[in-house]
Structures are given as structure tokens and as C-alpha cells.
Amino acid sequence: GNLNPPGHTFPTDHIYLAYEPIDEPLELRAPGDLRIFVIRKSEYVISSFRQGVQDFGIDLTDEAETVRANLSHVNALAPQIEAQLGSGDCETYQAGDETIESCQFQVAIDVLPGDALGTLTGESSWNLDFGLYDSDQSNGLDPSRYYEQTITTACPLDYFEPGIQETLYSLLGQR
């Protein structure tokens, strides 16, 4: 996790995949045979550094619905995914010095490995947040003190095939 006040005053349950400023959008593709079940849209209504910018979060699950992943700070959805959004459940909230309007859309969109999910431009963040939660495992936290999501947090890199996993871990330095 990461401590990064005011947005993250507690350790996070996800990793950050940081990238350098880019001229062309980076394509984000599905990491496996999964189902998108929630899409979150955030618009930064008041912000000192990203006012008027919007980004998306994509929540995915496996067929058994035991492993869930979320990808956040996606700047644009792939057209075939965006076309399937209906009405969202929206709210406005404060996070530090920002006012954010957040809408959540319940969907059921099946994706295959390599299918386009969206693009990253760095407009809202130079990070892709990547969280993974596995209900078949526990990380040893006391369930009376933490949310279920926190108790089932797992490292997303551990769920890739060995060759890809080695490549991803090599980008982190020491393991």
C-alpha cells in the first residue's frame, strides 16, 4: 500500500502502475477471461490540478466470482464498453481539496484476454491503480476490524502467468 495524504491517509489495498508523461494514449487491455460488473466514472468538479477532468474505474471478476480486480484512473473507455453504459447512481463528495462527482454503473460485459478496455493519457493521474481481491484466501487480518475487501487483498502481479509475472516483477526491482 501507499500513504499519500490527503487522498490516502491509510495504506491502500492496491498497487500503482506509474508511467511517464506520454504523447499518445496507452491502450489498456483485459488481463484475462473476465466479466466487467461495475464501471465508475469520476469527474473532478473542483481541483487544483485536474478540474474538469474525468476518469473511469473498471471492476472485473472471474467466472466463479471469487477473484475481483479493479483498474482505476482510466481516462477513456473503449467505445464498445462505453456504449453499454446505462443510467448511473451518482453522488458528489469531497476528498482533500477536491470535489468529485462519482457515478457507478452496474453492467455485465464479458471480455477476453487482450480485449480493449480503454486508454490511459495521464490527464487525471500518471498511475493506473490496480487492486485484486481473492475471496478464497485471507491475508491474516482480523475480520472484525477490516472490510472484506481489505482482508482478501492480494498482489495482482501474482495472478499473471509465470512469464508475464516475471516481467512485471522485474520492473519493480527487488522482490
Side-chain angles (χ1 to χ4, degrees):
N2 174 41
L3 292 175
N4 186 12
H8 291 299
T9 54
F10 294 102
T12 61
D13 60 359
H14 56 272
I15 64 173
Y16 298 80
L17 301 175
Y19 52 94
E20 297 291 327
I22 53 176
D23 294 326
E24 296 293 322
L26 297 172
E27 290 186 354
L28 178 63
R29 299 198 169 269
D33 187 356
L34 301 165
R35 171 170 282 182
I36 301 171
F37 66 97
V38 170
I39 294 178
R40 291 168 278 106
K41 177 182 173 184
S42 298
E43 182 173 344
Y44 300 90
V45 179
I46 298 173
S47 175
S48 61
F49 65 99
R50 54 186 171 182
Q51 188 161 322
V53 172
Q54 69 180 17
D55 67 15
F56 296 89
I58 302 171
D59 294 351
L60 307 111
T61 189
D62 64 347
E63 186 175 354
E65 297 185 2
T66 57
V67 176
R68 294 178 297 111
N70 63 47
L71 303 165
S72 298
H73 299 303
V74 178
N75 298 106
L77 295 174
Q80 71 276 13
I81 293 173
E82 189 165 17
Q84 296 186 56
L85 296 183
S87 297
D89 181 23
C90 301
E91 67 177 352
T92 301
Y93 66 93
Q94 299 286 133
D97 65 348
E98 294 183 303
T99 300
I100 302 164
E101 180 184 61
S102 177
C103 298
Q104 185 166 299
F105 303 87
Q106 304 295 322
V107 295
I109 303 169
D110 293 325
V111 293
L112 297 172
D115 281 356
L117 298 177
T119 55
L120 310 174
T121 63
E123 208 174 357
S124 61
S125 175
W126 292 110
N127 298 298
L128 172 68
D129 291 1
F130 189 3
L132 190 128
Y133 315 93
D134 187 341
S135 64
D136 285 340
Q137 65 93 43
S138 173
N139 54 27
L141 296 174
D142 180 351
S144 68
R145 298 188 68 194
Y146 296 94
Y147 295 111
E148 178 184 355
Q149 179 170 299
T150 302
I151 294 168
T152 61
T153 297
C155 178
L157 305 185
D158 291 342
Y159 288 72
F160 283 90
E161 294 177 0
I164 296 170
Q165 185 183 98
E166 290 169 20
T167 299
L168 292 170
Y169 268 110
S170 73
L171 298 172
L172 301 180
Q174 291 184 326
R175 183 172 180 191

